[in-house]
Amino acid sequence: MDRYVVVGNPVAHSLSPRIHARFAAELGERIEYATLEAPPDGFRAAALAFFASGGRGANVTLPFKVEAFELAEHASDRARAAGAANFLARRGDRIEADNTDGAGLVTDLRDNLRVALAGARILLVGAGGAARGVVAPLLAERPRALVIANRDVERAKSLAHRFAAAGPTSATSLDAADGGTYDVVLNATSASTLGEPLPLPDAVFRPGMLAYDLAYGAAAAGFVARAKARGARASDGLGMLVEQAAESYFLWRGRRPATAEVIAGLRAPAP
Ligand code: NAP
């Protein structure tokens, strides 16, 4: 049976094994997909041992996405643009890297939440690994503007500069982020996951726009409630998680699973 893992630290909480088990069942395939917790300084050894033992592919989560990119002998354009990988596959005798996070976000926004990204004004909050991975896929949708706001504004400027040739990017500080009117506000900071307040002006949220937190579940509840209180439509990032997994499954196995029921199943309260 083909074996896959999600590597992280911590990783026991990961929903990926459940998601991939649902995909495999839906497609009538048999795969094994487990969690693999690597020590903080042991990602490389753990990943190489997994592939040496015949493992077919790995998803990679915090804090190892940059190391995963560096480990691979070949990286896709989107992994190179992000400088990070959440996907590894053994192809022949080499390990290849990709980054499916941006595709997952765009699919969730465009296909599940029905947001028109072409011509949209997008505020991307955050300039860490997740933000870096989603800028190029968002720009490929041809928004009217992609403004990057970050607590450390220099990181926002550097990210906007890095992708300037790919589309209309600019940067701002968090407290000045209400200087524009946005159709989509994306929280790609780790504030929700860390349980910290996000010092973003309430005025960025308004009726008719979508506020989206890349974090999901209880962690994103505060951001979602705050945006809804201002009349915005709001979502957490569970759909992104499932869509990046579907893209991974497709890259590994050449078959694309349907996602709607998997997302709904994960949202349903436990019986
Ligand atoms: P990261 O590389 O550590 O970056 C953290 C970012 O958050 C930086 O921009 C940082 O700003 C900002 N930040 C942290 N605490 C903050 C606070 N209290 N107020 C304002 N800004 C704050 O983390 P990451 O890998 O980008 O992950 C970010 C989020 O995306 C996490 O919640 C992660 O779970 C989520 N994510 C979700 C998916 C999915 O499939 N749904 C996939 C990938 C990531 P400074 O630069 O100023 O420090």
Side-chain angles (χ1 to χ4, degrees), residues 3-264:
R3 289 190 296 116
Y4 303 88
V5 286
V6 54
V7 195
N9 188 330
V11 75
H13 66 284
S14 173
L15 294 175
S16 292
R18 257 173 87 186
I19 294 170
H20 284 278
R22 289 288 304 269
F23 289 165
E26 171 198 319
L27 294 170
E29 297 189 333
R30 291 187 66 225
I31 67 165
E32 187 186 302
Y33 189 113
T35 57
L36 174 58
E37 182 162 307
D41 59 353
F43 170 76
R44 188 180 179 85
L48 290 177
F50 169 71
F51 282 111
S53 72
R56 305 283 305 168
N59 283 129
V60 180
T61 187
L62 289 173
F64 299 128
K65 290 185 183 183
V66 173
E67 282 183 77
F69 172 70
E70 290 166 350
L71 171 92
E73 283 119 351
H74 177 268
S76 68
D77 287 348
R78 52 193 185 179
R80 279 205 302 277
N86 71 331
F87 172 98
L88 294 172
R90 184 161 53 84
R91 298 219 170 89
D93 56 4
R94 73 180 187 183
I95 297 173
E96 298 186 359
D98 204 333
N99 192 316
T100 65
D101 280 339
L105 173 65
V106 166
T107 302
D108 195 35
L109 292 173
R110 192 192 52 207
D111 300 348
N112 299 336
L113 297 167
R114 305 272 170 205
V115 177
L117 293 172
R121 292 152 300 182
I122 302 174
L123 176 67
L124 175 64
V125 188
R132 223 167 46 222
V134 303
V135 171
L138 286 170
L139 288 174
E141 296 297 307
R142 306 193 150 280
R144 188 188 311 171
L146 179 65
V147 180
I148 303 169
N150 196 47
R151 185 172 58 181
D152 175 350
V153 70
E154 291 307 319
R155 288 186 83 191
K157 284 182 187 164
S158 138
L159 192 55
H161 180 70
R162 178 171 170 173
F163 288 95
T169 57
S170 60
T172 184
S173 61
L174 283 185
D175 58 0
D178 55 351
T181 306
Y182 299 102
D183 304 301
V184 183
V185 173
L186 302 168
N187 180 14
T189 74
S190 48
S192 295
T193 304
L194 297 172
E196 295 173 359
L198 180 64
L200 186 67
D202 272 337
V204 300
F205 303 115
R206 58 180 186 84
M209 56 100 70
L210 176 78
Y212 187 101
D213 198 329
L214 273 64
Y216 48 86
F223 177 86
V224 165
R226 198 178 151 198
K228 283 186 175 169
R230 296 269 310 170
R233 190 155 74 101
S235 174
D236 72 357
L238 185 67
M240 172 181 174
L241 180 76
V242 174
E243 296 296 349
Q244 65 75 28
E247 178 78 1
S248 297
Y249 196 101
F250 173 71
L251 291 172
W252 284 322
R253 305 188 60 81
R255 296 183 70 192
R256 191 173 288 282
T259 52
E261 283 186 17
V262 179
I263 297 171

